Amino acid sequence: MKLLLVEDDPSMQTTLQRALGRRQIDVRVCGDGALALEQWRVLEPDVVALDLSLPNLDGLQVLAQARAAGLRTPVLLLTARGTVGDRVLGLNAGADDYLPKPFDLDELEARLRALRRRQGEPVEVATEVGALRLDPHDGAVYLRGEVLELTPRELALLRALMARPGHAVGKERLFALVFPGEGEVQVEAIEVVAYRLRKKLAGSGASLMTLRGLGYLLREEAAQ
């Protein structure tokens, strides 16, 4: 799922991009109301999370202009404004749901996915590679029925590879999912995570391959 997060607080941007990225949500951020419409059109997100308090144009103005321009993407309003009147204004302007700040990350994810499903998102099924199974509902990876113990970065990498078993996934793409919003980290850091993950996959019937110049690939090992 691709999410456009329109939020002007840099720490909130970084926190949500990193946390949701680890839950297989591709988060793109925009911190300015005047730029939000342009980003909205270019990115074509599945869902927009829109803060009400923004510079230049506030969230209600952004939402009203988006709907007037024919942008029908589901919108979740994020607001620190506690009055019923503000929420009603947002819903009347075309928002699909709202979530008051501060909010729980699990609830945020659940609301985003609910909005995506309303747009006809295909029902997700478990992905299996060898003896590994990725459960789309809880996001965990199981090895022969037991949860595979992984660090958050190892889990993010394995999820990304299991989403495209047998296909190469670029190093830059994987880096963005494993280290979302961490600009100070070098792309080569993904190699360390891949090395550790490869050792934990021993005996799983799945192999993590390095494709020089392309990225990584997860494939099922041939039966002996």
Side-chain angles (χ1 to χ4, degrees), residues 57-200:
L57 289 179
D58 69 20
L60 289 177
Q61 292 173 307
V62 171
L63 179 57
Q65 291 186 27
R67 294 310 192 216
L71 298 173
R72 310 320 307 168
T73 313
V75 172
L76 173 65
L77 289 183
L78 304 177
T79 175
R81 305 176 187 176
T83 67
V84 174
D86 285 321
R87 294 191 288 247
V88 170
L89 284 173
L91 293 171
N92 285 339
D96 298 272
D97 198 0
Y98 68 87
L99 187 60
K101 295 180 179 180
F103 47 76
D104 179 80
L105 185 62
D106 288 336
E107 182 177 6
L108 172 62
E109 180 187 10
R111 286 175 181 259
L112 292 173
R113 293 196 183 281
L115 289 177
R116 180 66 182 95
R117 285 194 297 272
R118 292 180 197 172
Q119 294 298 103
E121 183 179 45
V123 176
E124 297 179 296
V125 297
T127 302
E128 297 184 359
V129 181
L132 299 174
R133 180 174 63 86
L134 171 61
D135 190 310
H137 302 293
D138 63 18
V141 175
Y142 295 82
L143 174 60
R144 299 184 182 89
E146 299 292 330
V147 176
L148 186 61
E149 295 296 331
L150 301 169
T151 67
R153 287 173 179 168
E154 292 165 353
L155 179 58
L157 176 58
L158 185 53
R159 281 175 172 172
L161 293 170
M162 290 189 72
R164 291 180 53 81
H167 295 273
V169 183
K171 183 183 292 186
E172 290 77 12
R173 168 66 177 163
L174 293 172
F175 178 82
L177 293 171
V178 176
F179 297 93
E182 299 185 38
E184 71 281 2
V185 180
Q186 298 298 312
V187 174
E188 289 70 23
I190 197 72
E191 298 172 7
V192 176
V193 181
Y195 172 77
R196 294 173 178 167
L197 176 60
R198 185 178 286 112
K199 293 198 295 183
K200 293 185 178 182

Side-chain angles (χ1 to χ4, degrees), residues 20-35:
L20 294 175
R22 289 173 178 160
R23 300 179 181 217
Q24 296 298 286
I25 297 178
D26 183 4
V27 183
R28 311 298 178 87
V29 298
C30 177
D32 185 282
L35 297 177

